[in-house]
């Protein structure tokens, strides 16, 4: 095992790939609309607080668990205890479910690169209707989703160092540059101040239990936590790398990009007198509207923006894909190519259902649950599985793995120190499981979709029961 495990080609390669996994649609598509529809800065403050406490601790824990076992999510749990295998399997399921809707949005981003060049911006008044017409049509968005998925298949089929790492090395830095340029343009528009106030002047009157669960879910989703992704990436990490500092860098980069996306969108949005609570269409409707009012340069900026969005989506979706594929390789001994193609076909079917659920199938939601496939995959993962996945990981690390083993893993067998070890350990063992449970309960109570919640919990219970089968 030791000799055959693939490794990251270099430290910077690992960092860029892990940051590439974290930075994605979660930061640029989801973060702004979550902030926009949850009252702006109050949501952002809660999100930041969760990210640098619970998120950072879980990030370090996942990387440590993965590298210690040198196995992906399921194997890493099984390595310590067969009874815990289900927690890893739950992560694989989450990865699968997220890949049921993520490529749909990735496909939209890809489509908007093309649409930016073909007259999307010519009629600013029609941009909203054009987006609605596009995502509800039966063929176009499905075709773009498939195109996006094919890109994933090609990258993941090439394996860790060859595909994912190379893609991250080139694409991540270009994304960063693109966002900074967009942010500068946005902040310097006349009237941008209202957007900055919306982002940075907190108003806690709109905060409810749901806001906390939404912020925690957003934090986990954005950091790729709670579903074994960072366990999987950690399993390819060299023994000489320092986990705590790498974890901090990844968390900071991810948060930085989310805030940058907010800075790129909200000041311009307010400058043009548009609506912050536009929902999932925010990026696709408001941003092109903003660009449309800038004249010729707007077309160029729009292309740059949607290339960046596609790139960010791609480096994240390959990591989701990799969780599923690594499970099939490590636990089921399926060759990489077959694992990639097999799971890719299932994802394509799920993606088609998710896409159609926004259009031709929107009148026929899933019985009892009352939502379509897109919302089902989204809510189940973001609001239930990731939070509970994080809670299970914290309990596993705090109560199953030996403290000395953790210390050895986090200090590279004493080769360097990790000053925050005791604090981290107690946070993971006692505080985080309780904190997540409280947020989940408070948030779940104020969410209407009880049937969905029950379904999610039922799935977890069944997984726990059959833990040894994975
Ligand atoms: N973090 C990614 C994003 O923000 C999504 C993701 C979630 C990737 C979970 C991997 C695992 O878009």
């Amino acid at each position: 095992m030791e000799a055959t495990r693939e490794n990251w080609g270099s430290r910077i390669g690992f960092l860029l790939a892990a940051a590439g996994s974290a930075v994605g649609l979660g930061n640029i598509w989801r973060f702004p609309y979550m902030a926009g529809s949850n009252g702006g800065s109050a949501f952002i403050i809660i999100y930041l607080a969760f990210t640098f406490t619970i998120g950072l601790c879980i990030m370090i824990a996942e990387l440590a668990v993965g590298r210690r076992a040198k196995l992906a999510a399921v194997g890493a749990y099984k390595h310590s205890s067969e009874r815990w295998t289900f927690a890893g399997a739950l992560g694989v399921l989450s990865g699968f479910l997220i890949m049921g809707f993520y490529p749909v949005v990735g496909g939209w981003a890809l489509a908007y690169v093309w649409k930016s060049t073909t007259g999307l911006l010519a009629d600013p008044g029609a941009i909203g209707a054009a987006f609605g017409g596009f995502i509800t049509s039966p063929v176009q968005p499905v075709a773009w989703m498939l195109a996006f998925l094919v890109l994933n298949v090609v990258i993941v089929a090439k394996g860790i160092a060859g595909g994912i790492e190379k893609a991250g090395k080139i694409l991540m830095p270009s994304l960063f540059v693109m966002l900074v340029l967009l942010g500068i343009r946005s902040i310097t528009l006349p009237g941008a101040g209202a957007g900055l106030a919306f982002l940075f002047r907190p108003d806690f009157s709109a905060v409810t239990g749901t806001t906390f669960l939404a912020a925690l879910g957003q934090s986990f989703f954005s950091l790729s936590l709670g579903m074994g992704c960072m366990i999987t990436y950690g399993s390819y990490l060299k023994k000489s790398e320092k986990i705590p500092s790498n974890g901090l860098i990844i968390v900071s980069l991810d948060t930085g990009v989310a805030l940058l996306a907010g800075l790129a969108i909200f000041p311009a949005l307010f400058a043009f007198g548009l609506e912050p609570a536009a929902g999932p269409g925010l990026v696709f409707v408001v941003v092109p509207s903003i660009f449309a009012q800038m004249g010729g340069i707007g077309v160029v900026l729009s292309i740059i923006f949607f290339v960046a969005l596609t790139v960010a989506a791609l480096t994240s979706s390959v990591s989701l894909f990799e969780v599923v594929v690594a499970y099939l390789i490590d636990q089921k001994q399926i060759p990489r190519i077959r694992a990639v193609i097999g799971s890719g076909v299932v994802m394509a079917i799920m993606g088609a259902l998710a896409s159609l659920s926004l259009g031709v199938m929107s009148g026929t939601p899933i019985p009892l649950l009352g939502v379509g496939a897109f919302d089902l995959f989204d809510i189940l993962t973001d609001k239930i599985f990731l939070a509970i996945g994080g809670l299970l990981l914290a309990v596993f690390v705090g109560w199953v793995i030996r403290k000395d083993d953790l210390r050895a893993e986090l200090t590279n067998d004493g080769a360097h120190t990790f000053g925050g070890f005791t604090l981290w350990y107690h946070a993971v063992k006692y505080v985080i499981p309780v904190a997540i449970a409280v947020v989940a309960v408070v948030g779940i109570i104020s969410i209407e979709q009880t049937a969905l919640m029950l379904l999610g919990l039922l799935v977890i219970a069944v997984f726990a029961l059959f833990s040894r089968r994975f």
Side-chain angles (χ1 to χ4, degrees):
M1 190 86 249
E2 193 83 27
T4 54
R5 188 83 187 155
E6 285 180 79
N7 257 311
W8 300 102
S10 63
R11 166 159 201 238
I12 195 76
F14 161 77
L15 271 180
L16 287 174
S21 162
V23 175
L25 294 170
N27 309 58
I28 302 171
W29 163 67
R30 192 190 198 108
F31 172 76
Y33 93 72
M34 291 292 282
S37 46
N38 283 290
S41 58
F43 173 88
I44 295 176
I45 288 170
I46 299 171
Y47 159 83
L48 286 176
F50 280 151
T51 299
F52 282 96
T53 53
I54 301 180
L56 178 60
C57 288
I58 298 285
M59 174 69 73
I60 292 171
E62 285 206 16
L63 292 175
V65 165
R67 191 177 67 176
R68 173 173 173 269
K70 291 207 197 66
L71 291 168
V74 174
Y77 276 104
K78 194 185 260 180
H79 180 77
S80 287
S81 159
E82 290 238 320
R83 226 181 284 151
W84 277 86
T85 313
F86 81 97
L90 188 67
V92 175
L93 176 70
S94 304
F96 232 122
L97 290 175
I98 297 177
M99 280 304 278
F101 72 91
Y102 206 93
V104 175
V105 184
W108 298 348
L110 197 55
Y112 267 61
V113 176
W114 169 248
K115 284 177 189 289
S116 299
T117 66
T118 53
L120 172 73
L121 308 184
D123 181 2
I127 289 173
F131 177 72
F134 167 61
I135 67 161
T136 53
S137 78
V139 182
Q140 264 206 49
V142 176
W144 286 104
M145 178 275 295
L146 289 175
F148 182 81
L149 205 49
V150 167
L151 293 175
N152 281 271
V153 166
V154 172
I155 295 176
V156 179
K158 289 198 168 152
I160 284 299
I164 297 178
E165 186 169 345
K166 243 180 231 146
K169 242 184 218 169
I170 309 165
L171 300 178
M172 281 304 295
S174 19
L175 169 68
F176 212 80
V177 174
M178 287 178 196
L179 275 176
V180 170
L181 290 178
L182 281 172
I184 293 172
R185 177 79 189 105
S186 182
I187 297 173
T188 50
L189 287 168
L196 292 172
F198 180 78
L199 281 176
F200 298 115
R201 194 177 302 149
D203 165 18
F204 286 97
S205 63
V207 170
T208 65
T210 319
T211 318
F212 282 92
L213 182 59
L216 185 70
Q218 172 62 28
S219 179
F220 275 21
F221 185 88
S222 188
L223 293 170
S224 307
L225 295 178
M227 45 82 61
C229 181
M230 289 301 165
I231 297 180
T232 306
Y233 272 28
S235 75
Y236 303 113
L237 189 58
K238 285 197 182 103
K239 276 292 174 201
S240 54
E241 286 294 345
K242 295 181 188 172
I243 289 179
S245 51
N246 277 303
L248 182 63
I249 294 174
I250 299 165
V251 171
S252 307
L253 275 176
D254 184 70
T255 312
V257 173
L259 294 178
L260 219 50
L263 278 178
I265 290 177
F266 286 107
L269 180 131
F270 278 87
F272 290 118
L274 300 165
E275 184 44 50
L282 187 68
V283 162
F284 294 95
V285 179
V286 175
V287 169
S289 306
I290 295 166
F291 288 139
Q293 301 182 39
M294 292 181 183
I297 183 82
V299 174
V300 179
L301 289 177
S302 179
I303 295 169
I304 294 175
F305 183 85
F306 286 109
V307 168
L309 192 59
T310 307
V311 165
L314 199 56
T315 55
S316 298
S317 57
V318 294
S319 74
L320 286 157
F321 209 138
E322 179 65 21
V323 169
V324 176
V325 167
Y327 166 67
L328 295 172
I329 296 174
D330 284 349
Q331 301 302 319
K332 304 289 165 197
Q333 284 76 45
I334 297 176
R336 178 170 280 270
I337 294 290
R338 271 186 41 209
V340 170
I341 292 178
S343 38
V345 168
V346 181
M347 288 166 190
I349 295 168
M350 291 167 62
L353 285 174
S355 181
L356 295 175
S357 78
L358 301 174
V360 288
M361 285 162 66
S362 62
T364 48
I366 301 164
L368 285 178
L369 301 179
V371 294
F374 190 106
D375 290 339
L376 174 71
F377 301 152
D378 182 7
I379 299 171
L380 264 186
T381 50
D382 181 56
K383 296 277 184 323
I384 308 175
F385 289 166
L386 295 189
I388 295 191
L391 188 154
L392 289 172
L393 180 97
V395 172
F396 174 75
V397 169
W399 299 87
V400 178
I401 300 185
R402 286 180 39 228
K403 191 175 177 183
D404 288 342
D405 288 353
L406 291 166
R407 193 194 302 272
E409 196 59 57
L410 291 175
T411 59
N412 296 345
D413 297 320
H416 61 86
T417 52
F418 171 30
F421 179 78
T422 309
L423 185 63
W424 170 83
Y425 182 74
H426 287 107
V428 169
K429 184 165 181 150
Y430 303 108
V431 183
I432 291 177
V434 176
I436 296 180
V438 169
V439 171
V441 169
V442 171
I444 283 170
I445 289 172
S446 48
I447 279 183
E448 310 80 42
Q449 285 120 340
T450 325
L452 258 177
M453 292 298 157
L454 292 177
L455 174 72
L457 296 178
L458 185 72
V459 170
I460 295 169
V462 171
F463 267 56
L465 218 57
F466 292 99
S467 195
R468 285 163 214 271
R469 298 278 174 92
F470 302 104

